[in-house]
Amino acid sequence: MLSPASTEVVRATLPVIGAAIGKITPIFYRRLFAAHPELERDLFNRGNQAQGNQQRALAGAVAAYATLLVAEDGPDPRAVLARIAHKHASLGIREEQYPIVHEHLFAAIVEVLGEAVTPEVAAAWDEVYWHMAESLIAIENDLYAAAGVTPETVFRRLVVTTRVQESPDTVSFVLAAPDGSALPPARPGQYVSVAVRLPDGARQIRQYSLTRAPQASAWGISVKAIPGHREGDAIAPAGEVSTFLHSNLFEGDEIEVSAPFGELTLPEHEAPLVLVSAGIGITPMIGFLHHLVHTESDRTVLVLHADRSLANHAHRVEAAELVEALPGATQLRWYEDLGAREADEVLRAGRIDLDGVELPAEAEIYLCGPVPFMAGVQAALRERGVAVDRIHYEVFGPAQELASA
């Protein structure tokens, strides 16, 4: 933990630092990328940088960690780092990169706060940073060791054996080792990073959930093409990597893929499951369902999915077949546009609505989809008395937290 002196300084200055962190992080990234343009080109997600998503995620993580670090009788702050550490491991983050971040982050803090950063304040927040960094480094080293890789060997080349158009904007790929050898074991719910070299020479990396985790001979991922779209007053650019993969990755092509990582995995117990997804958020649920079928599970499983239409529902047939193969599983689906079909007990019109849906007692509930969707579902679950520690979720993109109801 922090020294007593630093704890008091951080506690006293946290409101000021927390209020300014949104100004600090853009300056930090500008300084970082000016000094190390290769990091923006080959490591960080340029799309998230353009929209400010990564800056907001870093600001939230630093402020949350500092808050927990100085809280009395609060949870271990290192417990909040698992999601970040898994993401870092999937990118091959190295220990020697942390001093680089430290240098430019603290230069940004001084630029924003000026004389308010006294030697005592600087020393206290320096202690916060290195407490967080050293905790992350330790977790990441454990993850690398467990995966049998180093930061330099996280990625391997795999070949595309199958490509399927799952919906108008989603393509699935089956990936295997070029020599047919077994792939590293993956747990249901984990993801891999995919690295591509774009036409401008940048090496951009994105994460995709594994949909075929039980199979040692092949992995499955699904990629939704992200078109350019408006977000508030800004225009979000089209997804660089998803667009590239849709246009350029076909059977027989090779691609760089990381070892599997991700802390949101399916525990091996017999508690009932509720799997709730929307859109491309179905992909980790498909991984869960494949695992349950593979292990011949008889657990009670309720699968709830929302989508724009049947045509847009990626993995629609596969999900139905997997549910049918599980003796304890049932499925409900909501579509904003049912087309010419009539609503029935399984197909429902509109957006997801948990009113009238009977949830299995003491179920573990998993959510994946757009953040507003998950926040709404979580609020509905909390209103029904579901304990927050039984609600688990996966966020695609920079780490975000759902507001607790």
Side-chain angles (χ1 to χ4, degrees), residues 224 275-282 285 303-310 312-314 331-337 346 348-354 368-370 373 377:
K224 178 180 179 179
L275 309 180
V276 190
S277 57
I280 197 60
I282 195 172
M285 309 309 179
V303 179
L304 310 177
H305 182 75
D307 226 307
R308 285 177 291 168
S309 68
L310 276 81
N312 287 102
H313 185 170
Q331 179 181 216
L332 300 175
R333 298 177 296 181
W334 286 259
Y335 297 105
E336 295 179 36
D337 180 6
V346 174
R348 304 189 176 194
R351 300 191 173 189
I352 194 167
D353 183 357
L354 298 185
C368 191
F373 164 83
V377 172

Side-chain angles (χ1 to χ4, degrees), residues 15 21 48 54 97 110 125 154 213 215 245 270 289 302 307 319-320 396 400:
I21 202 93
N48 287 336
Q54 188 64 55
Q97 291 172 320
V110 171
W125 281 90
V154 162
Q215 299 191 19
L245 294 174
E270 294 305 309
L289 291 170
L302 176 59
D307 226 307
F396 295 149
Q400 301 177 55

Side-chain angles (χ1 to χ4, degrees), residues 89-272:
S90 80
L91 296 169
I93 296 296
R94 306 186 306 276
E95 182 174 347
E96 58 266 29
Q97 291 172 320
Y98 282 92
I100 297 172
V101 171
H102 174 269
E103 174 188 352
H104 298 286
L105 178 59
F106 275 75
I109 290 173
V110 171
E111 180 175 335
V112 171
L113 297 179
E115 295 180 357
V117 186
T118 64
E120 292 78 13
V121 170
W125 281 90
D126 189 76
E127 199 172 330
V128 169
Y129 176 83
W130 284 112
H131 192 285
M132 182 174 179
E134 288 166 4
S135 297
L136 281 169
I137 290 167
I139 298 170
E140 289 155 19
N141 285 340
D142 287 344
L143 291 174
Y144 290 135
V149 298
T150 67
E152 294 75 25
T153 62
V154 162
F155 286 87
R156 68 185 62 222
R157 294 200 66 82
L158 299 182
V159 64
V160 177
T161 61
T162 307
R163 171 184 166 129
V164 175
Q165 192 78 37
E166 299 286 351
S167 73
D169 60 5
T170 301
V171 172
S172 66
F173 301 94
V174 177
L175 310 171
D179 62 0
S181 60
L183 298 176
R187 298 177 63 190
Q190 289 192 307
Y191 55 79
V192 292
S193 287
V194 171
V196 300
R197 187 69 64 181
L198 297 175
D200 67 354
R203 179 179 182 265
Q204 285 287 285
I205 307 171
R206 301 293 184 270
Q207 288 73 40
Y208 299 103
S209 296
L210 287 169
T211 57
R212 296 163 65 101
Q215 299 191 19
S217 59
W219 288 338
I221 62 170
S222 292
V223 179
K224 178 180 179 179
I226 308 298
H229 58 284
R230 179 174 292 279
E231 289 189 357
D233 296 330
I235 299 296
E240 287 189 294
V241 173
S242 65
T243 300
F244 181 89
L245 294 174
H246 273 242
S247 300
N248 295 283
L249 191 64
F250 294 90
E251 294 86 349
D253 291 336
E254 291 191 1
I255 191 166
E256 283 189 276
V257 182
S258 77
F261 293 100
E263 90 290 358
L264 186 69
T265 58
L266 197 61
E268 296 295 337
H269 55 56
E270 294 305 309

Side-chain angles (χ1 to χ4, degrees), residues 265-325:
T265 58
L266 197 61
E268 296 295 337
H269 55 56
E270 294 305 309
L273 294 172
V274 179
L275 309 180
V276 190
S277 57
I280 197 60
I282 195 172
T283 52
M285 309 309 179
I286 291 291
F288 285 168
L289 291 170
H290 269 295
H291 173 76
L292 294 169
V293 171
H294 181 73
T295 56
E296 299 181 344
S297 173
D298 59 359
R299 293 170 73 171
T300 297
V301 183
L302 176 59
V303 179
L304 310 177
H305 182 75
D307 226 307
R308 285 177 291 168
S309 68
L310 276 81
N312 287 102
H313 185 170
H315 295 281
R316 176 178 54 82
V317 173
E318 184 178 5
E321 291 175 346
L322 290 168
V323 169
E324 182 67 23

